[in-house]
């Protein structure tokens, strides 16, 4: 759930892993990322976690890359650098992904979570993105891909169905189709 600073503790206390969005001030996100996921741009991750290390802070950092294209090589490279510098001190979420084969790239880069779905899982504008994957089809394709390629991968990122969830039955369907 993407929430604001006001509601973060309520969600966390009820077992829902929230994400603090880019619209929150950077100082707030840098503080809150020690206990919940906070969205950061590629530039912010480079500036606040790569160029100036936070390794001295005795805490885990929950970083959610907020980018328009989860297939971007810069995103994958930056996750690899974060994992190399911080190891288990960073928990990294990336996305949004609209192609099942990208799962292996996320596994190799060291992502802990992969957000899947583009345009809320609805019909994707193929003239903009070049492809169309409804959420249910995408989750099922990723589950199939994980079964065939998963054993040879260094990590198994958890799958987050990002968008298109409107009611409880949508959650059950997403879980049945392969979302974590």
């Amino acid at each position: 759930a993407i929430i604001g600073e006001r509601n973060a503790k309520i969600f966390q206390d009820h077992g829902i892993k929230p994400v603090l969005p880019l619209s929150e001030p950077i100082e707030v996100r840098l503080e809150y990322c020690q206990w919940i996921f906070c969205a950061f741009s590629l530039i912010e991750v480079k500036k606040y976690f790569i160029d100036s290390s936070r390794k001295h802070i005795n805490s885990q950092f929950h970083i959610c890359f907020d980018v328009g294209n989860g297939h971007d090589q810069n995103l994958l490279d930056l996750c690899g650098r974060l994992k190399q510098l911080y190891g288990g001190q960073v928990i990294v979420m990336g996305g949004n992904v609209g192609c099942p084969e990208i799962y292996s790239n996320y596994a190799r880069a060291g992502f802990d979570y992969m957000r899947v779905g583009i345009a809320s899982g609805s019909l994707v504008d193929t003239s903009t993105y070049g492809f169309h994957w409804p959420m249910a089809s995408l989750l099922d394709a990723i589950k199939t891909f994980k079964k065939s390629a998963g054993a040879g991968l260094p990590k198994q990122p958890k799958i987050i169905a990002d968008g298109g969830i409107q009611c409880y039955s949508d959650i059950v369907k997403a879980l049945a189709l392969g979302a974590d």
Side-chain angles (χ1 to χ4, degrees):
I2 296 176
I3 50 90
E5 178 186 7
R6 273 188 24 217
N7 300 327
K9 185 152 178 40
I10 295 168
F11 276 75
Q12 184 74 8
D13 289 348
H14 287 88
I16 299 170
K17 293 186 181 283
V19 177
L20 212 58
L22 282 175
S23 58
E24 294 292 336
I26 186 67
E27 300 80 21
V28 171
R29 288 181 283 134
L30 288 170
E31 177 188 341
Y32 276 56
C33 76
Q34 295 177 56
W35 56 281
I36 64 170
F37 277 106
C38 291
F40 295 96
S41 68
L42 295 176
I43 292 169
E44 290 173 331
V45 169
K46 187 171 180 335
K47 179 177 180 178
Y48 294 105
F49 293 94
I50 303 291
D51 294 343
S52 57
S53 177
R54 303 179 78 72
K55 212 173 157 89
H56 63 282
I57 299 172
N58 191 20
S59 180
Q60 269 192 329
F61 301 108
H62 300 79
I63 297 171
C64 176
F65 283 102
D66 191 353
V67 297
N69 181 357
H71 305 93
D72 184 352
Q73 187 61 49
N74 293 321
L75 169 68
L76 299 169
D77 294 343
L78 203 50
C79 177
R81 288 177 64 196
L82 275 174
K83 287 295 188 171
Q84 186 177 38
L85 288 171
Y86 291 89
Q89 194 177 0
V90 293
I91 308 297
V92 184
M93 181 188 303
N96 286 1
V97 171
C99 176
E101 293 80 12
I102 296 299
Y103 184 84
S104 61
N105 295 358
Y106 273 63
R108 287 186 184 88
F111 279 93
D112 300 286
Y113 295 88
M114 184 174 91
R115 293 184 351 255
V116 303
I118 295 178
S120 300
S122 62
L123 295 176
V124 173
D125 178 1
T126 55
S127 65
T128 302
Y129 296 103
F131 57 86
H132 163 71
W133 280 90
M135 183 61 77
S137 300
L138 181 58
L139 289 171
D140 189 50
I142 289 171
K143 182 169 81 173
T144 302
F145 183 81
K146 279 175 63 174
K147 282 182 184 174
S148 65
L153 296 173
K155 185 169 191 74
Q156 294 284 323
K158 294 191 180 295
I159 301 300
I160 306 297
D162 187 6
I165 306 294
Q166 297 178 348
C167 60
Y168 181 74
S169 64
D170 289 341
I171 295 170
V172 172
K173 291 172 195 173
L175 291 171
L177 289 165
D180 293 294

PDB file of all heavy atoms in Angstrom, residues 114-148:
ATOM      1  N   MET A 114      10.015  -7.853  -6.432  1.00  0.00           N
ATOM      2  CA  MET A 114       9.816  -7.360  -7.791  1.00  0.00           C
ATOM      3  C   MET A 114       8.344  -7.002  -7.959  1.00  0.00           C
ATOM      4  O   MET A 114       7.471  -7.861  -7.816  1.00  0.00           O
ATOM      5  CB  MET A 114      10.211  -8.427  -8.822  1.00  0.00           C
ATOM      6  CG  MET A 114      10.106  -7.941 -10.255  1.00  0.00           C
ATOM      7  SD  MET A 114      10.735  -9.144 -11.464  1.00  0.00           S
ATOM      8  CE  MET A 114       9.249 -10.060 -11.817  1.00  0.00           C
ATOM      9  N   ARG A 115       8.075  -5.712  -8.213  1.00  0.00           N
ATOM     10  CA  ARG A 115       6.711  -5.265  -8.470  1.00  0.00           C
ATOM     11  C   ARG A 115       6.390  -5.541  -9.931  1.00  0.00           C
ATOM     12  O   ARG A 115       7.144  -5.166 -10.813  1.00  0.00           O
ATOM     13  CB  ARG A 115       6.560  -3.773  -8.174  1.00  0.00           C
ATOM     14  CG  ARG A 115       6.712  -3.445  -6.712  1.00  0.00           C
ATOM     15  CD  ARG A 115       6.477  -1.985  -6.355  1.00  0.00           C
ATOM     16  NE  ARG A 115       6.326  -1.043  -7.413  1.00  0.00           N
ATOM     17  CZ  ARG A 115       7.258  -0.159  -7.778  1.00  0.00           C
ATOM     18  NH1 ARG A 115       8.427  -0.123  -7.175  1.00  0.00           N
ATOM     19  NH2 ARG A 115       7.030   0.691  -8.746  1.00  0.00           N
ATOM     20  N   VAL A 116       5.261  -6.191 -10.158  1.00  0.00           N
ATOM     21  CA  VAL A 116       4.875  -6.495 -11.530  1.00  0.00           C
ATOM     22  C   VAL A 116       3.549  -5.825 -11.853  1.00  0.00           C
ATOM     23  O   VAL A 116       2.701  -5.643 -10.989  1.00  0.00           O
ATOM     24  CB  VAL A 116       4.794  -8.017 -11.800  1.00  0.00           C
ATOM     25  CG1 VAL A 116       6.115  -8.682 -11.494  1.00  0.00           C
ATOM     26  CG2 VAL A 116       3.692  -8.682 -11.004  1.00  0.00           C
ATOM     27  N   GLY A 117       3.409  -5.478 -13.104  1.00  0.00           N
ATOM     28  CA  GLY A 117       2.210  -4.828 -13.592  1.00  0.00           C
ATOM     29  C   GLY A 117       2.524  -3.409 -14.017  1.00  0.00           C
ATOM     30  O   GLY A 117       3.314  -2.720 -13.379  1.00  0.00           O
ATOM     31  N   ILE A 118       1.929  -3.014 -15.106  1.00  0.00           N
ATOM     32  CA  ILE A 118       2.079  -1.650 -15.602  1.00  0.00           C
ATOM     33  C   ILE A 118       0.677  -1.131 -15.890  1.00  0.00           C
ATOM     34  O   ILE A 118      -0.168  -1.870 -16.391  1.00  0.00           O
ATOM     35  CB  ILE A 118       2.956  -1.611 -16.878  1.00  0.00           C
ATOM     36  CG1 ILE A 118       4.370  -2.063 -16.522  1.00  0.00           C
ATOM     37  CG2 ILE A 118       2.960  -0.227 -17.495  1.00  0.00           C
ATOM     38  CD1 ILE A 118       5.318  -2.115 -17.688  1.00  0.00           C
ATOM     39  N   ALA A 119       0.427   0.100 -15.548  1.00  0.00           N
ATOM     40  CA  ALA A 119      -0.875   0.736 -15.751  1.00  0.00           C
ATOM     41  C   ALA A 119      -1.955   0.010 -14.951  1.00  0.00           C
ATOM     42  O   ALA A 119      -3.010  -0.315 -15.461  1.00  0.00           O
ATOM     43  CB  ALA A 119      -1.225   0.803 -17.237  1.00  0.00           C
ATOM     44  N   SER A 120      -1.664  -0.267 -13.693  1.00  0.00           N
ATOM     45  CA  SER A 120      -2.609  -0.880 -12.758  1.00  0.00           C
ATOM     46  C   SER A 120      -3.124  -2.230 -13.216  1.00  0.00           C
ATOM     47  O   SER A 120      -4.201  -2.651 -12.827  1.00  0.00           O
ATOM     48  CB  SER A 120      -3.795   0.061 -12.492  1.00  0.00           C
ATOM     49  OG  SER A 120      -3.325   1.258 -11.951  1.00  0.00           O
ATOM     50  N   GLY A 121      -2.378  -2.932 -14.048  1.00  0.00           N
ATOM     51  CA  GLY A 121      -2.801  -4.245 -14.495  1.00  0.00           C
ATOM     52  C   GLY A 121      -3.891  -4.185 -15.544  1.00  0.00           C
ATOM     53  O   GLY A 121      -4.423  -5.201 -15.957  1.00  0.00           O
ATOM     54  N   SER A 122      -4.249  -3.009 -15.973  1.00  0.00           N
ATOM     55  CA  SER A 122      -5.293  -2.866 -16.983  1.00  0.00           C
ATOM     56  C   SER A 122      -4.670  -3.007 -18.365  1.00  0.00           C
ATOM     57  O   SER A 122      -3.502  -3.337 -18.500  1.00  0.00           O
ATOM     58  CB  SER A 122      -5.976  -1.510 -16.841  1.00  0.00           C
ATOM     59  OG  SER A 122      -5.036  -0.473 -17.045  1.00  0.00           O
ATOM     60  N   LEU A 123      -5.434  -2.727 -19.363  1.00  0.00           N
ATOM     61  CA  LEU A 123      -4.891  -2.798 -20.716  1.00  0.00           C
ATOM     62  C   LEU A 123      -3.780  -1.775 -20.860  1.00  0.00           C
ATOM     63  O   LEU A 123      -3.974  -0.594 -20.602  1.00  0.00           O
ATOM     64  CB  LEU A 123      -5.982  -2.519 -21.748  1.00  0.00           C
ATOM     65  CG  LEU A 123      -7.098  -3.545 -21.815  1.00  0.00           C
ATOM     66  CD1 LEU A 123      -8.145  -3.077 -22.821  1.00  0.00           C
ATOM     67  CD2 LEU A 123      -6.576  -4.902 -22.196  1.00  0.00           C
ATOM     68  N   VAL A 124      -2.627  -2.237 -21.231  1.00  0.00           N
ATOM     69  CA  VAL A 124      -1.483  -1.351 -21.398  1.00  0.00           C
ATOM     70  C   VAL A 124      -1.521  -0.764 -22.800  1.00  0.00           C
ATOM     71  O   VAL A 124      -1.816  -1.450 -23.769  1.00  0.00           O
ATOM     72  CB  VAL A 124      -0.161  -2.123 -21.165  1.00  0.00           C
ATOM     73  CG1 VAL A 124       1.034  -1.259 -21.496  1.00  0.00           C
ATOM     74  CG2 VAL A 124      -0.090  -2.598 -19.733  1.00  0.00           C
ATOM     75  N   ASP A 125      -1.212   0.504 -22.900  1.00  0.00           N
ATOM     76  CA  ASP A 125      -1.170   1.186 -24.185  1.00  0.00           C
ATOM     77  C   ASP A 125       0.046   0.669 -24.954  1.00  0.00           C
ATOM     78  O   ASP A 125       1.174   1.062 -24.681  1.00  0.00           O
ATOM     79  CB  ASP A 125      -1.081   2.690 -23.946  1.00  0.00           C
ATOM     80  CG  ASP A 125      -0.986   3.491 -25.231  1.00  0.00           C
ATOM     81  OD1 ASP A 125      -1.000   2.893 -26.329  1.00  0.00           O
ATOM     82  OD2 ASP A 125      -0.887   4.717 -25.131  1.00  0.00           O
ATOM     83  N   THR A 126      -0.187  -0.238 -25.889  1.00  0.00           N
ATOM     84  CA  THR A 126       0.923  -0.842 -26.609  1.00  0.00           C
ATOM     85  C   THR A 126       1.703   0.172 -27.437  1.00  0.00           C
ATOM     86  O   THR A 126       2.874  -0.040 -27.712  1.00  0.00           O
ATOM     87  CB  THR A 126       0.443  -1.989 -27.521  1.00  0.00           C
ATOM     88  OG1 THR A 126      -0.569  -1.500 -28.391  1.00  0.00           O
ATOM     89  CG2 THR A 126      -0.081  -3.149 -26.702  1.00  0.00           C
ATOM     90  N   SER A 127       1.082   1.288 -27.810  1.00  0.00           N
ATOM     91  CA  SER A 127       1.835   2.294 -28.556  1.00  0.00           C
ATOM     92  C   SER A 127       2.856   2.992 -27.654  1.00  0.00           C
ATOM     93  O   SER A 127       3.876   3.465 -28.120  1.00  0.00           O
ATOM     94  CB  SER A 127       0.890   3.320 -29.183  1.00  0.00           C
ATOM     95  OG  SER A 127       0.218   4.052 -28.178  1.00  0.00           O
ATOM     96  N   THR A 128       2.584   3.035 -26.344  1.00  0.00           N
ATOM     97  CA  THR A 128       3.508   3.646 -25.394  1.00  0.00           C
ATOM     98  C   THR A 128       4.556   2.649 -24.913  1.00  0.00           C
ATOM     99  O   THR A 128       5.741   2.935 -24.875  1.00  0.00           O
ATOM    100  CB  THR A 128       2.744   4.210 -24.175  1.00  0.00           C
ATOM    101  OG1 THR A 128       1.799   5.162 -24.646  1.00  0.00           O
ATOM    102  CG2 THR A 128       3.691   4.872 -23.187  1.00  0.00           C
ATOM    103  N   TYR A 129       4.103   1.450 -24.511  1.00  0.00           N
ATOM    104  CA  TYR A 129       4.990   0.482 -23.887  1.00  0.00           C
ATOM    105  C   TYR A 129       5.476  -0.631 -24.822  1.00  0.00           C
ATOM    106  O   TYR A 129       6.455  -1.290 -24.530  1.00  0.00           O
ATOM    107  CB  TYR A 129       4.306  -0.156 -22.674  1.00  0.00           C
ATOM    108  CG  TYR A 129       4.004   0.843 -21.582  1.00  0.00           C
ATOM    109  CD1 TYR A 129       2.717   1.333 -21.399  1.00  0.00           C
ATOM    110  CD2 TYR A 129       5.010   1.310 -20.751  1.00  0.00           C
ATOM    111  CE1 TYR A 129       2.443   2.257 -20.410  1.00  0.00           C
ATOM    112  CE2 TYR A 129       4.741   2.236 -19.752  1.00  0.00           C
ATOM    113  CZ  TYR A 129       3.458   2.701 -19.591  1.00  0.00           C
ATOM    114  OH  TYR A 129       3.196   3.611 -18.616  1.00  0.00           O
ATOM    115  N   GLY A 130       4.770  -0.866 -25.907  1.00  0.00           N
ATOM    116  CA  GLY A 130       5.193  -1.872 -26.865  1.00  0.00           C
ATOM    117  C   GLY A 130       4.714  -3.274 -26.548  1.00  0.00           C
ATOM    118  O   GLY A 130       5.041  -4.217 -27.246  1.00  0.00           O
ATOM    119  N   PHE A 131       3.938  -3.467 -25.490  1.00  0.00           N
ATOM    120  CA  PHE A 131       3.426  -4.790 -25.136  1.00  0.00           C
ATOM    121  C   PHE A 131       2.174  -4.644 -24.285  1.00  0.00           C
ATOM    122  O   PHE A 131       1.844  -3.561 -23.826  1.00  0.00           O
ATOM    123  CB  PHE A 131       4.470  -5.607 -24.387  1.00  0.00           C
ATOM    124  CG  PHE A 131       4.978  -4.938 -23.136  1.00  0.00           C
ATOM    125  CD1 PHE A 131       4.316  -5.064 -21.937  1.00  0.00           C
ATOM    126  CD2 PHE A 131       6.113  -4.148 -23.175  1.00  0.00           C
ATOM    127  CE1 PHE A 131       4.760  -4.432 -20.792  1.00  0.00           C
ATOM    128  CE2 PHE A 131       6.583  -3.516 -22.043  1.00  0.00           C
ATOM    129  CZ  PHE A 131       5.894  -3.652 -20.841  1.00  0.00           C
ATOM    130  N   HIS A 132       1.509  -5.765 -24.061  1.00  0.00           N
ATOM    131  CA  HIS A 132       0.300  -5.790 -23.247  1.00  0.00           C
ATOM    132  C   HIS A 132       0.294  -7.059 -22.401  1.00  0.00           C
ATOM    133  O   HIS A 132       0.372  -8.161 -22.923  1.00  0.00           O
ATOM    134  CB  HIS A 132      -0.933  -5.752 -24.149  1.00  0.00           C
ATOM    135  CG  HIS A 132      -2.177  -6.167 -23.438  1.00  0.00           C
ATOM    136  ND1 HIS A 132      -2.768  -5.385 -22.477  1.00  0.00           N
ATOM    137  CD2 HIS A 132      -2.918  -7.293 -23.524  1.00  0.00           C
ATOM    138  CE1 HIS A 132      -3.838  -6.012 -22.025  1.00  0.00           C
ATOM    139  NE2 HIS A 132      -3.941  -7.160 -22.648  1.00  0.00           N
ATOM    140  N   TRP A 133       0.276  -6.919 -21.101  1.00  0.00           N
ATOM    141  CA  TRP A 133       0.174  -8.043 -20.170  1.00  0.00           C
ATOM    142  C   TRP A 133      -0.836  -7.695 -19.083  1.00  0.00           C
ATOM    143  O   TRP A 133      -0.504  -6.941 -18.169  1.00  0.00           O
ATOM    144  CB  TRP A 133       1.522  -8.332 -19.492  1.00  0.00           C
ATOM    145  CG  TRP A 133       2.484  -9.115 -20.288  1.00  0.00           C
ATOM    146  CD1 TRP A 133       3.426  -8.620 -21.133  1.00  0.00           C
ATOM    147  CD2 TRP A 133       2.640 -10.532 -20.320  1.00  0.00           C
ATOM    148  NE1 TRP A 133       4.162  -9.633 -21.681  1.00  0.00           N
ATOM    149  CE2 TRP A 133       3.698 -10.819 -21.194  1.00  0.00           C
ATOM    150  CE3 TRP A 133       1.989 -11.581 -19.685  1.00  0.00           C
ATOM    151  CZ2 TRP A 133       4.111 -12.112 -21.467  1.00  0.00           C
ATOM    152  CZ3 TRP A 133       2.406 -12.867 -19.952  1.00  0.00           C
ATOM    153  CH2 TRP A 133       3.439 -13.128 -20.826  1.00  0.00           C
ATOM    154  N   PRO A 134      -2.042  -8.240 -19.127  1.00  0.00           N
ATOM    155  CA  PRO A 134      -2.958  -8.055 -18.004  1.00  0.00           C
ATOM    156  C   PRO A 134      -2.356  -8.721 -16.759  1.00  0.00           C
ATOM    157  O   PRO A 134      -1.599  -9.688 -16.862  1.00  0.00           O
ATOM    158  CB  PRO A 134      -4.231  -8.776 -18.448  1.00  0.00           C
ATOM    159  CG  PRO A 134      -4.094  -8.942 -19.923  1.00  0.00           C
ATOM    160  CD  PRO A 134      -2.631  -8.982 -20.222  1.00  0.00           C
ATOM    161  N   MET A 135      -2.688  -8.227 -15.571  1.00  0.00           N
ATOM    162  CA  MET A 135      -2.076  -8.685 -14.330  1.00  0.00           C
ATOM    163  C   MET A 135      -2.158 -10.205 -14.154  1.00  0.00           C
ATOM    164  O   MET A 135      -1.153 -10.852 -13.839  1.00  0.00           O
ATOM    165  CB  MET A 135      -2.717  -7.987 -13.126  1.00  0.00           C
ATOM    166  CG  MET A 135      -2.083  -8.366 -11.796  1.00  0.00           C
ATOM    167  SD  MET A 135      -0.333  -7.946 -11.666  1.00  0.00           S
ATOM    168  CE  MET A 135      -0.447  -6.200 -11.376  1.00  0.00           C
ATOM    169  N   ALA A 136      -3.327 -10.797 -14.335  1.00  0.00           N
ATOM    170  CA  ALA A 136      -3.474 -12.239 -14.115  1.00  0.00           C
ATOM    171  C   ALA A 136      -2.567 -13.038 -15.045  1.00  0.00           C
ATOM    172  O   ALA A 136      -1.887 -13.978 -14.610  1.00  0.00           O
ATOM    173  CB  ALA A 136      -4.936 -12.660 -14.297  1.00  0.00           C
ATOM    174  N   SER A 137      -2.523 -12.661 -16.293  1.00  0.00           N
ATOM    175  CA  SER A 137      -1.670 -13.363 -17.267  1.00  0.00           C
ATOM    176  C   SER A 137      -0.192 -13.191 -16.925  1.00  0.00           C
ATOM    177  O   SER A 137       0.593 -14.126 -17.028  1.00  0.00           O
ATOM    178  CB  SER A 137      -1.922 -12.840 -18.680  1.00  0.00           C
ATOM    179  OG  SER A 137      -3.254 -13.031 -19.050  1.00  0.00           O
ATOM    180  N   LEU A 138       0.182 -11.988 -16.506  1.00  0.00           N
ATOM    181  CA  LEU A 138       1.567 -11.708 -16.164  1.00  0.00           C
ATOM    182  C   LEU A 138       2.006 -12.516 -14.943  1.00  0.00           C
ATOM    183  O   LEU A 138       3.076 -13.127 -14.931  1.00  0.00           O
ATOM    184  CB  LEU A 138       1.749 -10.210 -15.920  1.00  0.00           C
ATOM    185  CG  LEU A 138       3.152  -9.734 -15.578  1.00  0.00           C
ATOM    186  CD1 LEU A 138       4.150 -10.105 -16.667  1.00  0.00           C
ATOM    187  CD2 LEU A 138       3.148  -8.226 -15.359  1.00  0.00           C
ATOM    188  N   LEU A 139       1.170 -12.540 -13.901  1.00  0.00           N
ATOM    189  CA  LEU A 139       1.508 -13.316 -12.697  1.00  0.00           C
ATOM    190  C   LEU A 139       1.660 -14.801 -13.027  1.00  0.00           C
ATOM    191  O   LEU A 139       2.589 -15.462 -12.555  1.00  0.00           O
ATOM    192  CB  LEU A 139       0.449 -13.115 -11.611  1.00  0.00           C
ATOM    193  CG  LEU A 139       0.430 -11.746 -10.949  1.00  0.00           C
ATOM    194  CD1 LEU A 139      -0.798 -11.611 -10.056  1.00  0.00           C
ATOM    195  CD2 LEU A 139       1.705 -11.516 -10.160  1.00  0.00           C
ATOM    196  N   ASP A 140       0.746 -15.322 -13.816  1.00  0.00           N
ATOM    197  CA  ASP A 140       0.811 -16.734 -14.183  1.00  0.00           C
ATOM    198  C   ASP A 140       2.060 -17.032 -15.011  1.00  0.00           C
ATOM    199  O   ASP A 140       2.732 -18.045 -14.807  1.00  0.00           O
ATOM    200  CB  ASP A 140      -0.452 -17.128 -14.960  1.00  0.00           C
ATOM    201  CG  ASP A 140      -0.540 -18.622 -15.179  1.00  0.00           C
ATOM    202  OD1 ASP A 140      -0.384 -19.389 -14.192  1.00  0.00           O
ATOM    203  OD2 ASP A 140      -0.758 -19.042 -16.345  1.00  0.00           O
ATOM    204  N   ALA A 141       2.409 -16.139 -15.934  1.00  0.00           N
ATOM    205  CA  ALA A 141       3.609 -16.333 -16.762  1.00  0.00           C
ATOM    206  C   ALA A 141       4.881 -16.282 -15.906  1.00  0.00           C
ATOM    207  O   ALA A 141       5.821 -17.052 -16.117  1.00  0.00           O
ATOM    208  CB  ALA A 141       3.663 -15.274 -17.867  1.00  0.00           C
ATOM    209  N   ILE A 142       4.913 -15.394 -14.913  1.00  0.00           N
ATOM    210  CA  ILE A 142       6.080 -15.312 -14.029  1.00  0.00           C
ATOM    211  C   ILE A 142       6.185 -16.576 -13.181  1.00  0.00           C
ATOM    212  O   ILE A 142       7.273 -17.114 -12.989  1.00  0.00           O
ATOM    213  CB  ILE A 142       6.019 -14.039 -13.157  1.00  0.00           C
ATOM    214  CG1 ILE A 142       6.264 -12.816 -14.036  1.00  0.00           C
ATOM    215  CG2 ILE A 142       7.043 -14.100 -12.026  1.00  0.00           C
ATOM    216  CD1 ILE A 142       6.022 -11.493 -13.346  1.00  0.00           C
ATOM    217  N   LYS A 143       5.057 -17.067 -12.685  1.00  0.00           N
ATOM    218  CA  LYS A 143       5.064 -18.301 -11.892  1.00  0.00           C
ATOM    219  C   LYS A 143       5.617 -19.460 -12.729  1.00  0.00           C
ATOM    220  O   LYS A 143       6.468 -20.211 -12.260  1.00  0.00           O
ATOM    221  CB  LYS A 143       3.656 -18.621 -11.398  1.00  0.00           C
ATOM    222  CG  LYS A 143       3.598 -19.874 -10.530  1.00  0.00           C
ATOM    223  CD  LYS A 143       2.258 -20.013  -9.837  1.00  0.00           C
ATOM    224  CE  LYS A 143       1.241 -20.610 -10.762  1.00  0.00           C
ATOM    225  NZ  LYS A 143      -0.035 -20.914 -10.086  1.00  0.00           N
ATOM    226  N   THR A 144       5.196 -19.563 -13.966  1.00  0.00           N
ATOM    227  CA  THR A 144       5.692 -20.603 -14.870  1.00  0.00           C
ATOM    228  C   THR A 144       7.182 -20.418 -15.131  1.00  0.00           C
ATOM    229  O   THR A 144       7.958 -21.376 -15.099  1.00  0.00           O
ATOM    230  CB  THR A 144       4.907 -20.572 -16.206  1.00  0.00           C
ATOM    231  OG1 THR A 144       3.516 -20.766 -15.914  1.00  0.00           O
ATOM    232  CG2 THR A 144       5.394 -21.636 -17.163  1.00  0.00           C
ATOM    233  N   PHE A 145       7.592 -19.176 -15.365  1.00  0.00           N
ATOM    234  CA  PHE A 145       9.007 -18.890 -15.604  1.00  0.00           C
ATOM    235  C   PHE A 145       9.849 -19.250 -14.389  1.00  0.00           C
ATOM    236  O   PHE A 145      10.919 -19.848 -14.510  1.00  0.00           O
ATOM    237  CB  PHE A 145       9.192 -17.408 -15.966  1.00  0.00           C
ATOM    238  CG  PHE A 145      10.616 -17.064 -16.285  1.00  0.00           C
ATOM    239  CD1 PHE A 145      11.139 -17.334 -17.538  1.00  0.00           C
ATOM    240  CD2 PHE A 145      11.435 -16.487 -15.331  1.00  0.00           C
ATOM    241  CE1 PHE A 145      12.466 -17.031 -17.832  1.00  0.00           C
ATOM    242  CE2 PHE A 145      12.759 -16.183 -15.608  1.00  0.00           C
ATOM    243  CZ  PHE A 145      13.266 -16.457 -16.869  1.00  0.00           C
ATOM    244  N   LYS A 146       9.373 -18.903 -13.186  1.00  0.00           N
ATOM    245  CA  LYS A 146      10.103 -19.218 -11.950  1.00  0.00           C
ATOM    246  C   LYS A 146      10.288 -20.724 -11.785  1.00  0.00           C
ATOM    247  O   LYS A 146      11.350 -21.178 -11.354  1.00  0.00           O
ATOM    248  CB  LYS A 146       9.354 -18.671 -10.727  1.00  0.00           C
ATOM    249  CG  LYS A 146       9.584 -17.219 -10.464  1.00  0.00           C
ATOM    250  CD  LYS A 146       8.736 -16.679  -9.330  1.00  0.00           C
ATOM    251  CE  LYS A 146       9.022 -17.305  -8.002  1.00  0.00           C
ATOM    252  NZ  LYS A 146       8.287 -16.668  -6.898  1.00  0.00           N
ATOM    253  N   LYS A 147       9.268 -21.491 -12.126  1.00  0.00           N
ATOM    254  CA  LYS A 147       9.361 -22.955 -11.996  1.00  0.00           C
ATOM    255  C   LYS A 147      10.429 -23.520 -12.916  1.00  0.00           C
ATOM    256  O   LYS A 147      11.157 -24.426 -12.555  1.00  0.00           O
ATOM    257  CB  LYS A 147       8.015 -23.612 -12.305  1.00  0.00           C
ATOM    258  CG  LYS A 147       7.025 -23.513 -11.185  1.00  0.00           C
ATOM    259  CD  LYS A 147       5.740 -24.224 -11.550  1.00  0.00           C
ATOM    260  CE  LYS A 147       4.700 -24.045 -10.460  1.00  0.00           C
ATOM    261  NZ  LYS A 147       3.412 -24.605 -10.840  1.00  0.00           N
ATOM    262  N   SER A 148      10.542 -22.973 -14.114  1.00  0.00           N
ATOM    263  CA  SER A 148      11.502 -23.512 -15.077  1.00  0.00           C
ATOM    264  C   SER A 148      12.913 -22.976 -14.867  1.00  0.00           C
ATOM    265  O   SER A 148      13.888 -23.699 -15.031  1.00  0.00           O
ATOM    266  CB  SER A 148      11.038 -23.228 -16.508  1.00  0.00           C
ATOM    267  OG  SER A 148      11.038 -21.847 -16.770  1.00  0.00           O
TER     268      SER A 148
END
